[in-house]
Each structure stands twice: as structure tokens, then as C-alpha cells.
Amino acid sequence: MAAKRTAPPPANPNPNRRRVTSAADDSASAPPSKRMLAFHFLRALSRIHSSTPVPRRTRTIRRAAYSSMARAASPRSAWSRALLRQVRVRRAVRSRRAVLMRRRVSAAPAPPLGASRSSVSAGQTSVAPPVRTPPPRQEGEPARADALRQLIPGGNGMEYCSLLEETADYVRCLRAQVQLMQGLVDLFSGQ
Amino acid sequence: MSSRRSRSRASSGGASRISDEQISDLVSKLQTLLPEARLRSNDRVPSARVLQETCSYIRSLHQEVDDLSDRLSELLATADVSTAQAAVIHSLLM
């Protein structure tokens, strides 16, 4: 029972079990393979190139970068799941907003869309779903962890220990994604 | 610094009893991830500093992603995609 680690335990019920870096740990925290990153991102890029009009491309490409990074990462990471969840939420909000806009244009002045609009046009990856009560801060957790929680997707629901692990994973993946994009830019501009 | 306090305080939440060793382990792992320019020395750096550097590093990475996606959108518009894609795929997947 102790050997099986199917999901990352958010609240560790067994405090005696030491998190020794075993082989399973290494494979879980290894950066995603470059191939998977390239595959997802390139596929998204080709789709963007054929469909999206030019003026909105930057935002779309950036969103595609984050979601392809989340897809390439292991689903064991909480941040990748949170990122994909945000993508879904954002898409639902946008479609709802499109419907409301159409209704607003045809009808009389509707109630302001300020609430939904501001959450979507913020554009940051740290857009959180509507209501998320953060867990009480743990003992020994420094105040800086709050800033970190806001940076890591899904960081608000994590304990301090998992937050640190997720941060490491996120940093690795983010760095690999940046390297990938930099390589792409170099290649394209070298043509 | 702050990690010392947790040991003296009585453990109220039994479920979240994580040893300081684990936390400092994780923090040192984070420290190794940071680029060389931000590491003061290879040994003890206060964990608050590591967290701060990690935050700024993540922010700078986000900024880089933004810039790179900006350049990519420009390049995608102008470049000849089919031959470029072939070259890119070839180099990235080999």
C-alpha cells in the first residue's frame, strides 16, 4: 500500500514516511520530454496559423504555449491539471460572453459585463476560478509563499510542501518551454 | 529562520506534520533549479531568499514566454510556413 503512488497525496496521512528521492520520484519530477513539448506546441501553432486572424495571435500563441506545456507534462502534477482546468473555464466564460454580447447588441443596454470581462482580459495564467478559499497557512510557512501561490497555477489549494514540489516541476517545464520557443524563433528568423 | 518556529510550536494539525528536513530539502532542490546568476553561494541560503528568487525567476520566465510568443506571431505571419515547419520538425524531433 505504501509502495503505490498513484496520485500525489496533498495531505500526507503518514508523516512517518520519508519522501526519499526514489526512482519513482525522479521519473515524476523529470522535465517533460522535448519531443512531447514540441509535438503539442507545433500542433497548436499550425492550428493557429491556419485559423486565427493576425491581430489576436500573440495572446492565442501564449495561451497555446501554456496549455501545450500543461498537456505535455505528467498529469500527476497538480499545476498542469489546474492549468488545463483554467483553459476550460476560460473557454466556457468566453463562449458565454459571446452569447451575452450578442444578446446585448440586439436588446436594450444589459447589465455590465465588467465582472466576466475583467477576469478574462486579465490574460494572466493566474486567473483563478470564481471562488476558491485558500487553506489556512501552515506553521513555519513564510509569508513569501503567498506570492508563490499566486504564480503557480492552482497554488492556492496546496499545502506548503506540495507547493514547493509543484514549483520545482513548474520551473523545469517552463524553462523547457522557453527553450523550445526560443529555438523556434531562432529557426524561423534564420530562414 | 521561520522553519525553527514550527518545531517549538505544538502540532495542531496532525495531518500536515511535515518535517523541517523535508521542507529544507525541497527548498535546496529549488535553489539548484535557479540559474547560476541568482545563486549567492552553493551552500546555505535562507529559504526566504530562495523563495523570493524563485518568484522573480518565474515572473521573468512568464515575461519571456510573452515576448517569445509575440515574436512568434510576427514570424508566423511572414515566414513561409511549410518549408520552415519541415525544418523545425526535423530538427526538434531528431
Side-chain angles (χ1 to χ4, degrees), chain A residues 12 18 35 46 49 58 61-62 66 139 142 144 151 160-161 165 167-168 170 174-175 178 182 184-185 188, chain B residues 10 12 15 18 21 26 33 48 51 54-55 57 62 64 66 68-71 73 76 81 84-85 88 93:
Chain A
N12 198 352
R18 291 190 51 106
R35 209 167 284 193
S46 63
H49 179 77
T58 307
I61 290 185
R62 193 189 64 208
Y66 285 114
E139 313 158 357
R144 298 195 190 285
L151 282 177
Y160 186 50
C161 199
E165 288 191 6
T167 306
Y170 186 63
L174 202 52
R175 205 163 42 188
V178 164
Q182 183 68 51
L184 273 179
V185 164
F188 273 120
Chain B
S12 50
I18 303 180
E21 219 176 313
L26 291 172
L33 273 180
L51 285 185
T54 308
C55 282
Y57 185 46
H62 283 172
E64 268 203 68
D66 288 353
L68 285 175
S69 50
D70 208 7
R71 290 174 65 184
S73 71
L76 263 190
V81 182
Q85 262 189 351
V88 160
L93 298 185

Side-chain angles (χ1 to χ4, degrees), chain A:
Chain A
M1 192 177 313
K4 208 154 177 218
R5 289 184 64 195
T6 46
N12 198 352
N14 195 358
N16 294 330
R17 179 161 60 139
R18 291 190 51 106
R19 300 243 196 133
V20 187
T21 39
S22 56
D25 248 338
D26 278 340
S27 67
S29 52
S33 72
K34 303 261 172 94
R35 209 167 284 193
M36 288 305 295
L37 266 182
F39 169 69
H40 283 286
F41 190 53
L42 283 175
R43 193 173 60 167
L45 268 189
S46 63
R47 230 182 316 160
I48 291 176
H49 179 77
S50 49
S51 62
T52 316
V54 175
R56 298 229 311 261
R57 258 194 203 161
T58 307
R59 256 190 327 188
T60 318
I61 290 185
R62 193 189 64 208
R63 278 206 299 265
Y66 285 114
S67 41
S68 65
M69 183 174 81
R71 278 204 193 93
S74 152
R76 289 188 48 176
S77 323
W79 63 264
S80 61
R81 277 178 274 142
L83 252 187
L84 292 176
R85 220 180 305 142
Q86 278 174 11
V87 166
R88 274 204 304 268
V89 165
R90 208 177 287 143
R91 204 173 292 157
V93 168
R94 273 180 58 200
S95 63
R96 204 183 322 144
R97 179 165 70 121
V99 169
L100 282 178
M101 291 286 265
R102 262 181 256 132
R103 241 183 258 160
R104 182 196 201 193
V105 165
S106 57
L113 295 169
S116 62
R117 208 187 145 85
S118 60
S119 70
V120 168
S121 59
Q124 293 286 340
T125 57
S126 53
V127 166
V131 177
R132 180 70 70 100
T133 53
R137 197 183 299 173
Q138 278 131 43
E139 313 158 357
E141 172 180 317
R144 298 195 190 285
D146 280 346
L148 200 55
R149 276 179 199 274
Q150 284 176 355
L151 282 177
I152 311 286
N156 279 326
M158 289 181 203
E159 287 194 346
Y160 186 50
C161 199
S162 3
L163 181 68
L164 290 180
E165 288 191 6
E166 296 291 325
T167 306
D169 203 29
Y170 186 63
V171 163
R172 277 191 216 106
C173 287
L174 202 52
R175 205 163 42 188
Q177 178 75 26
V178 164
Q179 283 171 359
L180 170 70
M181 291 173 77
Q182 183 68 51
L184 273 179
V185 164
D186 289 342
L187 254 142
F188 273 120
S189 57
Q191 291 292 329

